[in-house]
Amino acid sequence: MKLTARKIGAVLKSRGYRLTPQRNAILSAVTASHDHLTPTAIHEKVRREHKNIGLVTVYRTIELLAELGLICEVHSGGNCHSYLLRRPDQHHHHLICSGCGTVADFTSCDLSDMEQKVSRQTGFDINSHLLEFMGLCRSCQKDDRPEGSVSGAK
Amino acid sequence: MKLTARKIGAVLKSRGYRLTPQRNAILSAVTASHDHLTPTAIHEKVRREHKNIGLVTVYRTIELLAELGLICEVHSGGNCHSYLLRRPDQHHHHLICSGCGTVADFTSCDLSDMEQKVSRQTGFDINSHLLEFMGLCRSCQKDDRPEGSVSGAK
DNA sequence: CTGTAAATGAAAACGTTTTTCAACTGCGAG
DNA sequence: CTCGCAGTTGAAAAACGTTTTCATTTACAG
């Protein structure tokens, strides 16, 4: 089940939230992007169409979407406040391209063996984990830029 | 080889950096703690002994230590700018206690199988990963607090 | 001891996130 | 279709966290 702006809108309504033009614009921006976006980046994108939407509204909408589990946070690449539409329903992790910021999903994560081992070694009772992979996506591998010419993922 | 304040001091000198009382105080604070600490937390700790050390100096020292690979950054628990003395020399990961903030190390990390699989699936050329485990350390499991009574790890 | 480059602290500048508040509006009740 | 109000918005201000600037101080090589 892929989330679209429309579907997310329906979720909001069903939860008693209003579907405003501002929220719709933000939903479109987020669902349209394959990158992870910072609040400011979302604001800039949305602004092109929707001139005087406030950055505050972006923050508030992000908070809402995160609460409802509709977006994911990405840590890699220096920026800890970068968001992405939640694509797989299940537990999953992300691969972040350090070239263009594109994010791919990865659902078959099995860390249970490692968790057990670590648990035994340290005595910790583990209840969650954070896992992200960084690298270059197919198209950035081809581009094969000289160095330090990162474009996306500001 | 466990890092002590003294050893880190030696590293700094050998690299041409000066060993000031302020830096020494920060080194002691960091090496003494088993938690991950934010810049502000380090500042507060150091201040107790060294009344008018500036927060700026803490930031500058953290930057220096990170550059030299002597401290690690911890992401879990909401705070993305939290630091910890680097303990194992080798590649390793962290287990963070959500009760008290204590961090344990974990060196036997083998994600290469998973990396290969994901690489094949997505076409990404993976070159690094971020992995952290969260849970309760042995002593916080015993405490078994009601809920929401997190003490450390601000 | 001395000279000098490195380091420090205070203040200001900055960018990001949150709070406040008056004005506006989506949408359900009628 | 209209009305009313709770939910939502934008602007401005406040609150943070981090970086820059600059004059002063200091570690330490010589």
Side-chain angles (χ1 to χ4, degrees):
Chain A
M1 183 213 65
K2 192 162 170 271
L3 283 175
T4 58
R6 182 174 295 267
K7 281 181 190 163
I8 297 182
V11 173
L12 291 192
K13 290 198 82 170
S14 77
R15 298 286 199 114
Y17 297 104
R18 288 188 187 163
L19 203 42
T20 65
Q22 291 92 332
R23 280 181 184 166
N24 260 318
I26 294 171
L27 295 184
S28 303
V30 171
T31 53
S33 173
H34 275 225
D35 284 24
H36 48 121
L37 300 169
T38 60
T40 309
I42 295 176
H43 187 221
E44 277 163 10
K45 273 193 123 191
V46 171
R47 244 180 184 216
R48 284 178 214 147
E49 301 290 298
H50 216 280
K51 332 234 169 194
N52 74 324
I53 190 170
L55 179 54
V56 217
T57 300
V58 173
Y59 272 99
R60 287 190 277 228
T61 305
I62 288 175
E63 193 187 0
L64 182 58
L65 294 175
E67 228 173 81
L68 298 179
L70 300 169
I71 52 174
C72 306
E73 208 176 353
V74 168
H75 287 260
S76 299
N79 203 316
C80 298
H81 295 253
S82 218
Y83 303 87
L84 179 80
L85 180 69
R86 178 174 194 118
R87 292 168 298 194
D89 263 349
Q90 328 115 28
H91 175 77
H92 68 282
H93 294 288
H94 299 288
L95 290 89
I96 296 104
C97 176
S98 48
C100 64
T102 293
V103 178
D105 303 299
F106 166 53
T107 54
S108 54
C109 137
D110 187 15
L111 289 174
S112 50
D113 280 1
M114 203 186 290
E115 280 192 8
Q116 271 180 35
K117 194 170 171 185
V118 179
S119 207
R120 226 179 301 123
Q121 276 176 23
T122 61
F124 266 60
D125 179 15
I126 297 173
N127 53 49
S128 70
H129 58 254
L130 168 62
L131 174 63
E132 291 180 5
F133 291 101
M134 281 147 283
L136 286 179
C137 71
R138 222 182 290 251
S139 103
C140 285
Q141 286 168 51
K142 282 178 201 141
D143 291 7
D144 189 65
R145 309 177 189 223
E147 259 315 291
S149 49
V150 172
S151 66
K154 282 135 217 152
Chain B
M1 182 212 66
K2 192 162 170 271
L3 284 175
T4 58
R6 181 174 296 267
K7 280 181 191 164
I8 297 182
V11 174
L12 290 192
K13 289 199 83 168
S14 77
R15 298 285 198 116
Y17 296 104
R18 290 186 185 163
L19 204 42
T20 65
Q22 291 92 331
R23 280 181 182 166
N24 260 318
I26 294 171
L27 295 183
S28 303
V30 171
T31 53
S33 173
H34 275 226
D35 284 23
H36 48 121
L37 301 169
T38 60
T40 309
I42 295 175
H43 187 220
E44 276 163 11
K45 273 193 122 189
V46 170
R47 244 181 183 215
R48 283 177 214 147
E49 300 290 298
H50 215 278
K51 334 235 169 193
N52 73 324
I53 189 171
L55 179 55
V56 217
T57 300
V58 174
Y59 273 100
R60 287 190 278 228
T61 305
I62 288 175
E63 193 187 0
L64 182 58
L65 295 174
E67 227 173 82
L68 298 178
L70 299 168
I71 51 174
C72 306
E73 206 176 357
V74 168
H75 286 260
S76 299
N79 204 315
C80 298
H81 296 254
S82 218
Y83 302 86
L84 179 80
L85 179 70
R86 177 174 194 120
R87 294 169 295 193
D89 264 349
Q90 327 114 28
H91 175 77
H92 68 282
H93 295 286
H94 300 288
L95 290 88
I96 296 105
C97 175
S98 49
C100 64
T102 293
V103 178
D105 304 298
F106 166 52
T107 54
S108 54
C109 139
D110 186 16
L111 289 175
S112 49
D113 279 2
M114 203 186 291
E115 280 192 8
Q116 272 179 35
K117 194 170 171 186
V118 179
S119 207
R120 224 178 304 124
Q121 276 176 23
T122 61
F124 266 61
D125 179 16
I126 297 174
N127 53 49
S128 70
H129 58 253
L130 168 63
L131 175 62
E132 291 180 3
F133 290 101
M134 282 146 282
L136 286 178
C137 71
R138 222 181 289 252
S139 104
C140 285
Q141 286 168 52
K142 282 178 200 142
D143 291 7
D144 189 65
R145 307 174 190 228
E147 260 315 290
S149 49
V150 172
S151 64
K154 282 135 218 151

